[in-house]
Structure formats: C-alpha cells, structure tokens
Amino acid sequence: MSSSDFRQIAIRAEPGKAERLFRAAVSAFCSLTRPSRREIAQLEDLTLPLFDNVSVESRRYVAAALSECEYAPAALVRRLCEEPVDIAAPLLIRSRALSDIDLIALIGRHGLPHARAIARRKDLNPTIAHLIRALEKPTLVSVRQPKAIAQTAPETAEVVVSGPDRQQAPGAAVENARRRLRSMMRADAESGGATISPLACTETYVKLRETALTGNAAFFQTALADALEIDFSTARSLTANQNYTSLLAALRALDLGEDRAFLITVAVYPTEFPHPQAIRIFLDRYRLLHRDAALDRLRGWKAETLSKAIHNTWPAAANADIRKADSDNAAASVKARRF
C-alpha cells in the first residue's frame, strides 16, 4: 500500500486517525539514521496533505521531533515554520533544513516573534543577526510638535517629541522595524540608511526575488531581462559566469539596497557564500561599485541587445530583397520566352 493510499484512508476516516498517522509517520522517519531521498519525498507526500486536518498539539510535536532530525524534509519544515512561533520555535532555533534565504523570508513575513527565535540559532549568519538587532531596536523617528498644537492638544494624546521628553508611540517601533525589514533594509545601518530609488520599485524586486528562489535559472533570467530592458540571451550571459560580478552591476544599476541585492545574489550563486567573510566581501564590492559605472555597463548591454536586433533583422530583410529580385528575374525570363 502506498503513502497516497494511507493518506486517503486517514482523510476519509475520523480525525483521530489522521492525527495518529501524522505523528507515527514523523516518528518513524526520525528513527532512520540516514533516510534516502525517496523516503524524504514519501514523508512529505504523506504528511503535507494531512497538515490542515491535525491539531496544534500534533504540529507542535512534529516540529519538536524534526528540529533534532539532521535530514528533515525541507517542505514540511518550511510549512511548520509558517505556524505561530510557539509551534515553529524548535525548528527556527535548530533545524538545518532552513537556509539563510528561508530565515530572511520568515523574518520578513512574521516579524519580531520569529526573529527572536531565529536569533538563538548557533552560527547565525552575521547579516541576519544584524537584521534582527535592527528589528529589536529600530531607529526612532521624532517630530517636533508645534507650540500652538501643543497648547490645544489633550493631555492624554500620544505624541513623539524631540529632546529630553522624546518617547516612542506604543507599537510604532515594532511596526516601523517590520516595515523596514520587509523592504530588506540596508545591512549596515551606520552607512546612513539610504533609500531605494523609484527605479528599483518593490514590484521589480519581488519578481526578481521570487524567480531567483525558484531555482529555475530561466525564470530569473527572464525577470532580469524585463527589469533591465535587455534581451534574454544578454540577461542569461550575466548569470552564466562563475562569479557574480556581472549580476552585481545589474543589481546596482537597478539601485537595489544591499540586503535586497545580497538576497538575490545568494539565491543565484549559493556556493559563493560559504562563510561570513564572503558576505563581507560582497557588501564591500557592492558599496564600492558606483551606480554611474553600473549604468554605463547597462547601456552597453542595451546596445548589445539593439545590435543583435539589427543583426537579426538585416539578413532577413536582405534575403527578402534577394528572393524578390530572383522572383522578378524569373518572371521576366518566362515572359521573354513567350515572345
């Protein structure tokens, strides 16, 4: 009997059977010393369709069990991590199935509760640790209340003022940090917190990020071609190199912030960042790359695209003229023979 058959039986039966099957399958899997890819796929195929039919207690039990499992199914782990932090915490703290990209995405979606759990991971990527520190202690934004308004404002009004009486409105700090993190704020807050140019709009970044995270190079290259307004073959050549130099210039031309650029680059070139020093090198290169230089390279890529278009159009037009001339000559020859 296949895992699909078991699943269908559990779904059709009373909820208790789904609970027992869900727990038993994970427990049996965790007892395996070194599960095969087939066994990992079977567990995902069995448990994911049951997920919505099991209780919070079962989800919490499975999350705790898989957090200690070295070869936990990535899809099931990611699904559990979308749960509230009281369920997901063991996985957020210990699971090896979560990549740096997964962690950044989880912080962006769930904010401070998930971030605090992730901060407890051993050997946490310094860039992610910096994001969490910024989320915990976001920069306060203060405004000076005009005297006229201050005189007429109710005593119970909550305001943020500058100077020694400066205070933060309740909830404003967390919301401000969440908004900054979701937009992938700059990794180095001391550099001044430069804003993102309208050229690199959120829609473009999200499209690049999501296609990069699919792992399908063609999807990302198509999105990159659209963002840069170049042809697909040129966009493909930017990511065909063994290093990310060309992609770095492309992202700089789009005026993406450091964290956004890093997230996309690490998704396309995951093996280029085996240790924190590699991340530091990337950030240094990105900061030193002047945007005007990146735009010059972009103009070169666009010129290359135009050249290809002209090159492809010219032979076609020339061949059409030759075929027309040959057709006219043939018609004239037939007409001459008739006379």
Side-chain angles (χ1 to χ4, degrees):
M1 184 175 287
S2 67
S3 59
S4 177
D5 295 328
F6 277 116
R7 185 176 65 249
Q8 292 301 324
I9 292 172
I11 292 174
R12 290 196 299 268
E14 65 271 15
K17 285 190 177 180
E19 295 265 347
R20 291 193 294 273
L21 179 59
F22 190 73
R23 289 185 179 222
V26 173
S27 297
F29 178 85
C30 291
S31 68
L32 299 175
T33 305
R34 193 178 181 86
S36 64
R37 291 184 180 180
R38 182 172 179 272
E39 289 167 331
I40 293 174
Q42 283 180 334
L43 181 65
E44 290 181 339
D45 183 53
L46 175 63
T47 55
L48 288 174
L50 294 175
F51 198 93
D52 294 330
N53 298 317
V54 299
S55 65
V56 170
E57 289 74 16
S58 290
R59 297 177 189 180
R60 187 178 291 113
Y61 167 84
V62 168
L66 291 178
S67 69
E68 304 289 349
C69 184
E70 185 174 0
Y71 301 99
L76 180 57
V77 169
R78 286 194 292 266
R79 180 65 182 84
L80 286 163
C81 287
E82 297 296 341
E83 295 293 298
V85 72
D86 64 317
I87 297 174
L91 293 169
L92 298 174
I93 296 170
R94 292 186 292 273
S95 179
R96 299 181 183 180
L98 295 172
S99 66
D100 287 346
I101 296 172
D102 293 328
L103 297 176
I104 293 174
L106 286 167
I107 294 172
R109 285 194 293 270
H110 299 282
L112 196 56
H114 276 56
R116 284 173 174 163
I118 291 171
R120 297 169 59 187
R121 292 177 70 92
K122 294 181 179 179
D123 302 322
L124 182 63
N125 187 313
T127 300
I128 300 177
H130 186 92
L131 294 179
I132 296 172
R133 287 195 298 271
L135 181 61
E136 289 273 11
K137 298 179 180 179
T139 303
L140 296 178
V141 179
S142 61
V143 295
R144 186 176 298 276
Q145 188 177 21
K147 293 181 178 179
I149 297 178
Q151 293 173 355
T152 59
E155 294 181 358
T156 57
E158 295 177 340
V159 296
V160 180
V161 297
S162 59
D165 296 328
R166 179 180 181 178
Q167 64 181 15
Q168 193 171 9
V174 174
E175 183 57 32
N176 180 44
R178 187 191 299 264
R179 185 166 55 250
R180 291 172 62 206
L181 188 57
R182 281 179 174 168
S183 66
M184 294 303 172
M185 64 185 182
R186 299 178 64 85
D188 190 0
E190 294 81 11
S191 63
T195 57
I196 295 175
S197 166
L199 178 63
C201 62
T202 301
E203 183 178 354
T204 298
Y205 164 66
V206 169
K207 187 175 182 180
L208 290 173
R209 182 194 66 194
E210 295 305 314
T211 53
L213 292 177
T214 64
N216 188 313
F219 289 168
F220 174 73
Q221 290 157 0
T222 301
L224 186 63
D226 292 341
L228 297 175
E229 299 180 350
I230 57 179
D231 66 334
F232 176 78
S233 61
T234 303
R236 182 173 56 190
S237 69
L238 301 184
T239 58
N241 301 322
Q242 294 183 350
N243 57 65
Y244 54 76
T245 303
S246 296
L247 179 60
L248 195 78
L251 299 178
R252 191 70 182 88
L254 291 172
D255 205 18
L256 292 185
E258 292 172 4
D259 283 5
R260 291 186 171 193
F262 172 72
L263 179 60
I264 293 172
T265 305
V266 77
V268 179
Y269 291 94
T271 60
E272 290 292 309
F273 303 95
H275 47 74
Q277 183 60 27
I279 302 173
R280 172 56 58 189
I281 293 173
F282 169 86
L283 293 176
D284 289 342
R285 288 178 177 175
Y286 198 73
R287 292 166 188 163
L288 292 173
L289 178 59
H290 199 279
R291 186 159 181 263
D292 288 342
L295 290 174
D296 285 341
R297 296 194 65 178
L298 177 57
R299 282 189 284 269
W301 295 328
K302 288 185 176 183
E304 181 181 348
T305 296
L306 181 60
S307 176
K308 289 179 181 178
I310 295 174
H311 179 74
N312 293 334
T313 303
W314 174 257
N319 290 335
D321 291 340
I322 293 173
R323 287 194 298 270
K324 184 177 184 302
D326 290 342
S327 176
D328 292 343
N329 291 337
S333 177
V334 171
K335 184 176 180 181
R337 284 199 296 271
R338 288 178 179 175
F339 292 99

